Amino acid sequence: MIKVVLVGTGNVSYHLQKVFSQTAAVNLIEVLPGRSDFTNILSGKNASSEKIKDADLFIIAVSDDAITEVSKHFRKCDKLVVHTSGSISIKNLPKEIRSGVFYPLQTFSKEREVDFKTIPICLEANNPKDLKVLKILAGIISNAVYEVNSEQRRALHLAAVFVNNFSNHLYQIGNEICIENNLSFDLLKPLIMETASKIDTLNPTEAQTGPAKRNDTGTIKKHLEQLTTENQKEIYSVLTHSIQNIYGKKL
Amino acid sequence: MIKVVLVGTGNVSYHLQKVFSQTAAVNLIEVLPGRSDFTNILSGKNASSEKIKDADLFIIAVSDDAITEVSKHFRKCDKLVVHTSGSISIKNLPKEIRSGVFYPLQTFSKEREVDFKTIPICLEANNPKDLKVLKILAGIISNAVYEVNSEQRRALHLAAVFVNNFSNHLYQIGNEICIENNLSFDLLKPLIMETASKIDTLNPTEAQTGPAKRNDTGTIKKHLEQLTTENQKEIYSVLTHSIQNIYGKKL
C-alpha cells in the first residue's frame, strides 16, 4: 500500500483525493492546505506530524506560482516530494531532496466527474527508485502512464493550450454566431463531439475538411463578409491561411 | 410510409441510405447518381422512371457546387425537392417547384458510424404542407429537429467552420508539437474529448481556462518563445488576444 499526503486543496487535489479514496492500494493519510504550518508539521511539532511520518510521498498540488514557495518547506524532508504541474520543471523543487513530478494531463473542475483510468499521467523523478514508486502509484489509478521529462512536459502543456483553451474559445465564437442568429448552441454540440471523437481513429491531417482545405475561395470570401466583428474575421483569416499552407494552397 | 429518392452518392447520401434502410417508416425507393440522365428518368423514359413515380420527395445530396445544376432537371417535377447543404439557400432550387432543405448538421465520412438520433436536422420548405412532410421524415431518424431559415443556416454553417474545421486544425498543431518533442499524440486525446464534453454542461465562457483567461503574461511570453514556427506564434497571439478581450484583460 502506498501512503500519500496531498498538499493543496484545488481542483487537482480534489480529484486525486476522490480517486485515492476509491482504491485500497492507496492510503491517503492527510490533505494539508497549501498554507499549512509546514515547519512545525514536518519537524514533528504539530497534530498532523504523527500521521504523516509514515508517508511514502508528498504530492504538492498547488497553483504553479506557489510550487517553489511551498516546496521550500520540504528541504529537510527525506520522503519523495512531487508536484502536479505541466509547466513547472522538476528543477523548481529543492535540489537536496528526492523530487519528482506526477502530472495528470486533463482539465479538472470540481463540478465534473473524471475517469482517471483514461487520464495520461506524466511522470518524472530524479532517481530510478522513486520513478518506480510513481509508476506503481500512477498505474493504480490510470491505464495511461508515461515517462516524460520536464522539457517534454512543458511542450505538452503548450500543446494543451491549443487543443483545450483555444478550441474552447472557438466554441465560444460558434456560440456568439448562434446567439446573433437566434439559434440554440445545442445545434453545434453533436458536431463538436464528433470533431473531437474523430481524431481517435483518424489523425488530424486526415480528419481535416472544409473550405480552407478545399481552397474554396468563393466560400471563404463569403464567410469573411458574413462575420460581424474584426476579431472573428482575423481569427478566420489566420486559421484559414494556416490550413491552406498545410495543404499547399494559398488564397 | 414516406417514399424517398436520394440523388447523389457522397458521404451524406451514404449515411442517409443507411439510416433510411434501418427504418420501416421510410421506403428508400432509389438512389440516383448526381450525373444521371434526369431528363429521361423524370419524363418516364427510363428504367428507373416506373420506380420513382410514387416518390414523396427527392433529396439532392450532391456537392454544393452541383446543387443548382442538378436541381434544374427537376423544374417540371411536381414532387417535393430538397437539398442537404448548410450553405446553399433554398432560392438556389428552381422557383417553380415545391422546394425545401433537409440539412443534417454533422461531419460525415464513410469510415465512421454516426448516430442519427443525436444529429440536428435543420429544415426549411417553401410551403407549410411540405415542411410538415420534412418534419415527419426528420423526426423518424433524429430527436433533434429544427426549423431554420436559409440565413440562419448560412450562419450555422459558418459557426461549424469554427468549431469543426478550425478546432481540428488546433488538434493538428497539438500533434505537430508532440511530434517535435517525441511525444505520442495519444497523450492529448483524453483532454480533447473532455474539452468537447465539458460544453454539454457548461457554456464556453464558463468552461474557459488557461493563461489567456488568467492574463498570466509570464506564461504567455514563455509559450511564445517556446513555439518553433511563425505560424504557430501568430495563431497563439491572435487567439490569446481574443480571449483576453472577452475577459477584459490585455497584454
Side-chain angles (χ1 to χ4, degrees):
Chain A
M1 184 186 287
I2 300 183
K3 296 188 235 35
V4 176
V5 175
L6 268 167
V7 179
T9 52
N11 290 336
V12 174
S13 171
Y14 174 85
H15 285 285
L16 284 176
Q17 284 172 51
K18 272 187 97 166
V19 71
F20 288 154
S21 333
Q22 283 155 13
T23 165
V26 179
N27 180 7
L28 177 59
I29 53 181
E30 185 75 304
V31 181
L32 300 171
R35 288 163 188 272
S36 300
D37 178 7
F38 293 108
T39 315
N40 279 324
I41 292 171
L42 292 165
S43 61
K45 294 173 189 160
N46 184 288
S48 295
S49 305
E50 186 61 23
K51 281 206 255 176
I52 67 166
K53 74 176 178 12
D54 292 331
D56 293 305
L57 82 161
F58 290 85
I59 299 180
I60 301 182
V62 299
S63 69
D64 287 4
D65 295 343
I67 288 172
T68 308
E69 203 49 41
V70 169
S71 70
K72 277 181 188 164
H73 298 289
F74 290 81
R75 268 191 196 137
K76 291 181 184 167
C77 179
D78 60 352
K79 318 277 190 191
L80 172 57
V81 178
V82 304
H83 73 64
T84 60
S85 162
S87 56
I88 302 292
S89 169
I90 193 172
K91 291 179 185 156
N92 287 42
L93 297 173
K95 283 182 186 61
E96 54 271 50
I97 63 166
R98 292 164 47 203
S99 61
V101 180
F102 188 94
Y103 169 48
L105 206 181
Q106 188 50 285
T107 169
F108 294 100
S109 44
K110 284 181 185 158
E111 306 83 42
R112 280 187 64 83
E113 292 275 327
V114 291
D115 174 13
F116 255 99
K117 281 284 165 214
T118 66
I119 298 178
I121 316 262
C122 305
L123 304 178
E124 187 176 7
N126 66 2
N127 77 71
K129 211 174 143 190
D130 286 333
L131 184 65
K132 211 169 156 188
V133 172
L134 293 180
K135 277 187 183 167
I136 294 168
L137 178 64
I140 292 168
I141 60 171
S142 166
N143 294 327
V145 180
Y146 294 83
E147 202 182 323
V148 168
N149 66 37
S150 287
E151 188 62 27
Q152 288 175 311
R153 194 157 27 77
R154 220 163 63 99
L156 267 182
H157 190 253
L158 175 56
V161 169
F162 280 86
V163 303
N164 169 259
N165 301 165
F166 292 166
S167 285
N168 184 73
H169 186 57
L170 296 177
Y171 305 161
Q172 169 130 22
I173 294 176
N175 190 24
E176 281 172 15
I177 296 174
C178 285
I179 291 168
E180 277 173 29
N181 290 279
N182 284 316
L183 290 160
S184 164
F185 183 53
D186 287 348
L187 274 153
L188 293 177
K189 288 180 181 175
L191 178 64
I192 287 170
M193 275 306 293
E194 175 65 10
T195 306
S197 304
K198 224 171 178 171
I199 49 129
D200 204 36
T201 49
L202 297 175
N203 75 50
T205 316
E206 295 164 338
Q208 190 65 56
T209 57
K213 183 187 176 179
R214 292 195 308 274
N215 201 32
D216 178 351
T217 50
T219 300
I220 292 168
K221 197 165 161 273
K222 275 189 231 161
H223 279 168
L224 285 168
E225 286 164 8
Q226 245 177 290
L227 290 166
T228 53
T229 73
E230 284 310 311
N231 184 48
Q232 289 172 353
K233 284 181 211 275
E234 189 182 15
I235 292 172
Y236 187 99
S237 296
V238 167
L239 290 169
T240 291
H241 277 115
S242 181
I243 296 170
Q244 286 175 318
N245 280 336
I246 285 179
Y247 296 93
K249 295 156 185 170
K250 290 218 179 195
L251 267 175
Chain B
M1 185 186 288
I2 300 183
K3 295 187 233 42
V4 176
V5 175
L6 268 167
V7 178
T9 51
N11 290 337
V12 174
S13 171
Y14 174 86
H15 285 285
L16 285 175
Q17 284 173 50
K18 272 187 96 166
V19 70
F20 288 154
S21 334
Q22 285 156 11
T23 165
V26 179
N27 179 7
L28 177 60
I29 54 181
E30 185 74 304
V31 182
L32 299 171
R35 289 163 186 274
S36 302
D37 177 8
F38 293 108
T39 315
N40 280 323
I41 293 171
L42 292 165
S43 61
K45 292 171 188 159
N46 183 291
S48 296
S49 306
E50 186 60 23
K51 282 208 257 176
I52 68 166
K53 73 176 177 17
D54 293 330
D56 293 306
L57 81 159
F58 289 85
I59 300 180
I60 301 180
V62 298
S63 69
D64 287 5
D65 296 343
I67 289 172
T68 307
E69 204 49 42
V70 168
S71 69
K72 276 181 186 165
H73 298 288
F74 291 82
R75 267 192 195 135
K76 290 179 183 167
C77 179
D78 60 352
K79 318 278 189 192
L80 173 57
V81 177
V82 304
H83 73 65
T84 58
S85 164
S87 57
I88 302 291
S89 169
I90 193 172
K91 290 178 186 156
N92 287 41
L93 297 172
K95 286 185 183 56
E96 53 271 51
I97 63 167
R98 292 163 49 204
S99 61
V101 179
F102 188 93
Y103 169 49
L105 204 181
Q106 188 50 284
T107 169
F108 294 100
S109 45
K110 283 178 186 160
E111 306 82 42
R112 280 187 64 83
E113 293 276 325
V114 291
D115 174 13
F116 254 100
K117 281 285 165 210
T118 65
I119 298 178
I121 316 260
C122 305
L123 304 176
E124 185 176 8
N126 67 3
N127 76 71
K129 211 174 144 190
D130 286 332
L131 184 65
K132 210 170 157 186
V133 173
L134 293 180
K135 277 187 184 167
I136 294 168
L137 179 64
I140 292 167
I141 59 170
S142 167
N143 294 328
V145 180
Y146 294 84
E147 203 182 323
V148 167
N149 66 35
S150 288
E151 187 64 24
Q152 288 175 310
R153 194 157 26 78
R154 219 163 63 99
L156 266 182
H157 189 253
L158 175 55
V161 169
F162 280 86
V163 304
N164 170 259
N165 302 165
F166 291 166
S167 285
N168 184 74
H169 185 57
L170 297 177
Y171 304 162
Q172 168 129 23
I173 294 175
N175 191 22
E176 282 171 16
I177 295 173
C178 285
I179 291 168
E180 278 172 29
N181 291 277
N182 284 316
L183 291 160
S184 164
F185 183 53
D186 287 348
L187 274 154
L188 293 176
K189 288 179 181 175
L191 178 64
I192 287 172
M193 275 307 294
E194 175 65 10
T195 306
S197 304
K198 221 170 180 174
I199 50 129
D200 204 37
T201 49
L202 296 175
N203 76 48
T205 316
E206 294 163 338
Q208 190 66 55
T209 56
K213 183 185 176 182
R214 292 195 308 272
N215 201 33
D216 177 352
T217 50
T219 300
I220 293 167
K221 198 166 160 270
K222 275 190 233 163
H223 280 168
L224 285 168
E225 287 163 6
Q226 246 177 289
L227 289 166
T228 54
T229 74
E230 284 311 310
N231 184 48
Q232 289 172 354
K233 284 180 209 276
E234 187 181 16
I235 293 172
Y236 188 99
S237 296
V238 167
L239 290 169
T240 292
H241 277 116
S242 181
I243 295 170
Q244 286 175 317
N245 279 336
I246 286 178
Y247 296 93
K249 296 158 187 172
K250 289 218 180 196
L251 270 176

